[in-house]
Amino acid sequence: MAILGHRSRLLHLTFLFLATIFNSNCSLSLSSPTPNQQLLLLPLKTQHVPHPSSSLPRTRASAAAGGSKLPFRHNVTLTVSLSIGTPPQPATMVLDTGSELSWLRCSSPTSQQPVFRPLASKSYSTVPCSSPTCAERTRDLPLPASCDASKRCHVVVSYADASSAEGTLVSDTLLIGPSARPGFLFGCMDSGQSSSPEEDAKTTGLMGMNRGSLSLVTQMGVGMFSYCISGLDSSGVLLFGDAGFDWVGPLNYTPLVQISTPLPYFDRVAYTVQMEGIKVSGKVLPLPKSVFEPDHTGAGQTMVDSGTQFTFLLGPVYTALKNEFSGQTRGTLRVLNDPNFVFQGAMDLCYLVPSARPELPELPEVRLVFRGAEMSVPGRRLLYRVPGERRGSDWVYCFTFGNSDLLGVEAFVIGHHHQQDMWMEFDLERSRVGFAEVRCDLASQRLGLG
């Protein structure tokens, strides 16, 4: 599936691709990378950008976008800065583990939007629609490729917020880290409809990182990658390759869900795990495990996605969590009783916090229970201050779990807000996702990136 495409936010966690091979001057112990794979270490930075109105209407996602997509309306996005072409052209791309096709904007309706200029690259080439590449490498895309008027391989991507992009499948040289990788396949998009002009002015496109045949991970032959996003400052790290850090501690692993039969609402190339329950302050929500399992259509899968900010749960699970959290915080938090305010169209549990004393009280811990592992969401991650939203002298804070049903989306999605201060490892070779709690700001410093 993919969850989102790219859109606007308050912060941009920017992956500055000043990638370097991890060298012997570092004091950390690393396991050896596979013979054909370089170990790439990349720093994370943050930058503030303007935020549009945060009071979004209650709207259903377009059915045509597919049941496994979520709207990409949030305040934080992860972006990667790299170069493509000969000579190299800089590109800033949204990093999305929930999407497959990487794409660049090749034309701009406004001169302010960054674009890739294909005619300026000597290594650029288009993919004919009659080629095996067009027929075979696009098989995992939600919409099949077709022929355009010039017999080129035409591709379309669409997202549940009604944004879309379409253009031609092309290849060019990708410069990532210290080496050039010729023949990188991506979409050169010349038309589309965006829900975020603010972000379009800052990004060139999107980088797909799921397990599909066209994703960056697959094309690079990467067997493992990891990232760590700080919840305290602007630091962080992205790592390609298999590296063992003795200071991270043992990771908790949960297997990726695999299915052999195609189902209409199941994304087989997403990072799908099996959620089995939720705890609030140690209390297990009274829900059968069956509510977390995909049904006969594939609806109800659980995806780990860097392209989504918050976490979204199907209606019955969301309601149970909302009621339990509300009960445990009754008398501690003041509820915002405004039925017309729903943050990001799916987050309807919000609170008032005095702006003069904005510190939050101690809140209960939520634990997401997966097959073989549990992920802790501490109280400080459970409420998010809505940028620019006030009621008199009070700030508006909203619960950081949303209701998938309000979006018309049949999926559970674990967003990157709840992945903060976690070492997140995506192990494709062993078909699993691992995570461990760690101070990501200290991790960056320890790796020499602070």
Side-chain angles (χ1 to χ4, degrees):
M1 150 349 294
I3 298 277
L4 318 298
H6 76 302
R7 311 291 163 263
S8 65
R9 348 278 188 247
L10 171 67
L11 296 173
H12 278 238
L13 288 170
T14 305
F15 294 99
L16 299 177
F17 254 60
L18 309 174
T20 58
I21 300 281
F22 212 88
N23 57 54
S24 59
N25 294 327
C26 183
S27 61
L28 298 176
S29 61
L30 298 176
S31 61
S32 299
T34 56
N36 62 348
Q37 183 178 325
Q38 294 175 328
L39 190 63
L40 299 178
L41 178 68
L42 306 100
L44 285 169
K45 300 293 181 182
T46 65
Q47 66 182 30
H48 293 261
V49 298
H51 182 75
S53 173
S54 56
S55 181
L56 300 178
R58 293 175 181 261
T59 58
R60 285 240 170 225
S62 169
S68 59
K69 299 272 187 181
L70 288 182
F72 211 82
R73 294 166 168 160
H74 22 271
N75 308 327
V76 178
T77 190
L78 309 176
T79 63
V80 179
S81 296
L82 42 67
S83 297
I84 294 182
T86 307
Q89 299 180 40
T92 301
M93 305 174 73
V94 174
L95 186 78
D96 189 0
T97 61
S99 293
E100 176 181 356
L101 180 67
S102 299
W103 56 267
L104 293 174
R105 188 180 296 107
C106 291
S107 65
S108 171
T110 69
S111 59
Q112 288 76 29
Q113 291 180 336
V115 297
F116 172 71
R117 301 180 306 280
L119 296 182
S121 174
K122 298 177 182 178
S123 50
Y124 170 89
S125 64
T126 61
V127 175
C129 63
S130 59
S131 70
T133 298
C134 183
E136 298 171 7
R137 298 295 292 274
T138 62
R139 63 184 183 274
D140 294 324
L141 297 181
L143 296 174
S146 61
C147 279
D148 67 10
S150 300
K151 303 298 181 182
R152 298 172 302 182
C153 188
H154 183 75
V155 290
V156 179
V157 291
S158 61
Y159 303 97
D161 61 352
S163 63
S164 63
E166 60 182 294
T168 305
L169 186 66
V170 303
S171 69
D172 208 334
T173 298
L174 172 70
L175 289 89
I176 180 170
S179 62
R181 300 175 183 271
F184 176 67
L185 294 166
F186 62 96
C188 189
M189 304 312 206
D190 52 19
S191 66
Q193 179 182 1
S194 173
S195 66
S196 175
E198 293 85 359
E199 182 164 307
D200 287 345
K202 298 178 180 295
T203 60
T204 318
L206 180 140
M207 177 175 288
M209 292 281 286
N210 71 11
R211 296 181 292 161
S213 63
L214 282 172
S215 75
L216 176 76
V217 174
T218 301
Q219 292 194 57
M220 286 182 62
V222 173
M224 180 185 296
F225 68 94
S226 309
Y227 55 73
C228 196
I229 306 166
S230 174
L232 298 176
D233 61 18
S234 63
S235 65
V237 62
L238 171 67
L239 183 74
F240 284 103
D242 185 354
F245 301 126
D246 53 10
W247 46 267
V248 170
L251 299 183
N252 299 306
Y253 288 100
T254 184
L256 290 171
V257 175
Q258 310 280 359
I259 66 167
S260 57
T261 304
L263 298 174
Y265 294 104
F266 191 95
D267 186 348
R268 295 194 295 168
V269 293
Y271 296 104
T272 301
V273 297
Q274 184 57 62
M275 188 154 54
E276 297 185 336
I278 299 178
K279 301 176 183 177
V280 184
S281 293
K283 181 179 179 181
V284 180
L285 297 183
L287 295 167
K289 286 187 178 181
S290 59
V291 303
F292 299 98
E293 297 174 352
D295 63 18
H296 67 283
T297 70
Q301 71 184 114
T302 299
M303 295 172 280
V304 182
D305 184 25
S306 70
T308 302
Q309 183 180 1
F310 298 114
T311 295
F312 295 88
L313 309 172
L314 291 179
V317 178
Y318 171 77
T319 299
L321 175 59
K322 172 184 173 180
N323 291 342
E324 184 60 35
F325 180 81
S326 297
Q328 291 195 24
T329 57
R330 187 169 292 114
T332 303
L333 295 171
R334 286 190 296 142
V335 177
L336 170 66
N337 292 310
D338 183 355
N340 295 318
F341 182 81
V342 180
F343 182 44
Q344 296 189 3
M347 305 162 81
D348 60 358
L349 179 59
C350 299
Y351 297 92
L352 296 173
V353 176
S355 58
R357 290 188 304 105
E359 66 275 6
L360 295 171
E362 184 174 349
L363 299 174
E365 176 199 44
V366 171
R367 295 187 73 85
L368 304 177
V369 181
F370 302 106
R371 185 174 294 162
E374 294 187 10
M375 176 182 285
S376 171
V377 181
R380 65 182 180 276
R381 301 265 184 270
L382 294 178
L383 292 185
Y384 177 83
R385 195 181 87 180
V386 180
E389 198 69 38
R390 298 183 66 145
R391 297 294 187 276
S393 60
D394 296 323
W395 290 111
V396 174
Y397 282 72
C398 290
F399 194 43
T400 54
F401 288 85
N403 187 346
S404 297
D405 288 3
L406 292 179
L407 302 172
V409 173
E410 292 292 329
F412 297 94
V413 184
I414 311 302
H416 64 71
H417 180 79
H418 293 157
Q419 300 172 40
Q420 290 181 2
D421 285 323
M422 291 270 182
W423 189 270
M424 298 294 302
E425 178 184 281
F426 296 80
D427 187 344
L428 288 80
E429 292 180 349
R430 299 175 181 85
S431 190
R432 62 185 184 174
V433 174
F435 46 85
E437 295 181 47
V438 64
R439 281 276 302 276
C440 292
D441 59 327
L442 298 183
S444 295
Q445 294 175 22
R446 189 182 285 262
L447 292 169
L449 303 177

